[in-house]
Amino acid sequence: MRKLLKGISILCVFVLLIMATACTEKPAETNAPAATTKEAAAETTAEPVDTGDDLIVVGFAQCKADESDWRMANTASMQETLSEANGYKLILADSNNDAAKQVADVQGFIDQEVDYIVIAAVNMDGWDTVLSSAKEAGIPVILMDRTINASADLYTCWVGSDFKAEGVKATDWISTRFTADDEVNIVNLQGQLGASAQIGRSEALEDAIAANSNWTLLAQQTGEWSTDTAKEIMASWIQQHGDKINVVYAENDNMADGAIQALEEAGMKVGGDDGVAIISFDANRAYLQMTLEGKINCNVECNPLHGPKVAEIIQTIESGGSPAKVEVVEEAAFYYDTITQAIVDARAY
Ligand code: AHR
């Protein structure tokens, strides 16, 4: 649709150019200085992103492309699907998990007059101004993966995960692991603060702790989705709390891995039937293997393969349709005592 509008505007300018040229060949009575008209025409048709053979130009504002196994799979899914062979020019802007830079990246896409903007939001807040600019520019905005705090009329649709539901799957497993008479002492490695994935998963844990008088939150801190950061934090928690810790609630696989490394280096038993229970999110293949080996007890899936769904949304809009405002992807959970090698091997990421 947007390509059609762009094509019409170029045609109009072309006709104007011909008329202006014809006018300048006439007697001096015309007063539209050709230079002004030509300059104006050049400005209108000087497309900052020249796709040549009419590709759909998609600006993709990613959190931090190599931040986690999940994020790398998410970026790969977008690059594989929105390829030139499939009719797209994908422009990836990596914000390095800097929320302010990500907003500037989106403004850059508006300035480049891309056809679509896709955002995997670092932070839920700070989007109203730049999304209002995108709306004024007539550029559809597709939220992918995470949600944001902005008026729903400022974006076309959102496709992603129900992060709180993911957290409930994890706390439900904790409830099966322990009885009401057990002391459940939990440490929580949070994702980057302000990300909807962190907010949803943390909220589910905090609600479950409030609902179970024998559950205690010993410590909570952001591990920034990072293995190394999580390992350092876990080592300090082991110093403080020792073998009082019997549950690690890590909000992604990379942080669960860091916690497991710290626990094993401290000589503590991990996972299985009687080790420190490890909760993780994402279910990347490498960490499902650790689940199969019993190191991770409960791994809740967070599907990163959003490329095909984003392409489907774009094609719906291109053909004049309206995509669903909200599309929550189906996700499962995997457990150390029921997962199989076949499930691990079949994992797409
Ligand atoms: O938004 C999804 C989360 O972002 C994943 O769980 C995490 O690994 C990534 O950083």
Side-chain angles (χ1 to χ4, degrees), residues 63 67-71 97 121 145-146 161 163 166 195-198 201 224-225 251-254 281-282 284 302:
C63 303
E67 147 234 80
S68 59
D69 293 59
W70 190 96
R71 193 61 55 189
N97 273 343
D145 170 23
R146 299 184 186 162
S161 304
F163 299 111
E166 291 175 357
S196 57
Q198 173 273 311
R201 291 168 187 163
E224 305 289 352
W225 307 118
E251 295 179 3
N252 85 333
D253 280 335
N254 298 75
F281 295 83
D282 288 349
N284 292 292
C302 178

Side-chain angles (χ1 to χ4, degrees), residues 56-198:
I56 296 174
V57 182
V58 179
F60 174 29
Q62 179 59 291
C63 303
K64 182 180 182 194
D66 64 354
E67 147 234 80
S68 59
D69 293 59
W70 190 96
R71 193 61 55 189
M72 288 188 279
N74 177 247
T75 300
S77 173
M78 289 288 285
Q79 289 171 328
E80 285 156 18
T81 309
L82 303 181
S83 64
E84 294 210 358
N86 291 336
Y88 300 92
K89 178 175 179 59
L90 183 70
I91 306 171
L92 170 65
D94 186 327
S95 76
N96 198 31
N97 273 343
D98 176 330
K101 180 184 181 300
Q102 191 172 52
V103 170
D105 289 342
V106 171
Q107 183 56 54
F109 291 144
I110 297 167
D111 298 342
Q112 288 176 284
E113 297 180 11
V114 298
D115 297 314
Y116 293 86
I117 293 172
V118 179
I119 303 171
V122 171
N123 197 295
M124 289 190 78
D125 299 319
W127 290 103
D128 284 351
T129 303
V130 75
L131 293 189
S132 299
S133 301
K135 185 175 182 179
E136 278 161 36
I139 302 175
V141 172
I142 299 166
L143 303 181
M144 175 198 68
D145 170 23
R146 299 184 186 162
T147 51
I148 62 173
N149 288 325
S151 166
D153 70 315
L154 291 180
Y155 56 89
T156 304
C157 59
W158 165 70
V159 54
S161 304
D162 181 340
F163 299 111
K164 184 160 185 180
E166 291 175 357
V168 170
K169 288 191 180 94
T171 54
D172 284 351
W173 179 82
I174 295 173
S175 303
T176 65
R177 169 71 170 225
F178 298 93
T179 70
D181 302 325
D182 290 326
E183 259 194 44
V184 182
N185 297 316
I186 302 164
V187 292
N188 174 205
L189 288 161
Q190 296 177 292
Q192 184 174 352
L193 299 182
S196 57
Q198 173 273 311

Side-chain angles (χ1 to χ4, degrees), residues 15 36 55 102 107 115 117 124 159 204 222-223 232 234 237 239 290 332 344:
V15 168
T36 310
L55 299 171
Q102 191 172 52
Q107 183 56 54
D115 297 314
I117 293 172
M124 289 190 78
V159 54
T222 179
E232 278 171 36
M234 191 69 218
W237 287 344
Q239 291 291 323
M290 288 171 73
V344 177

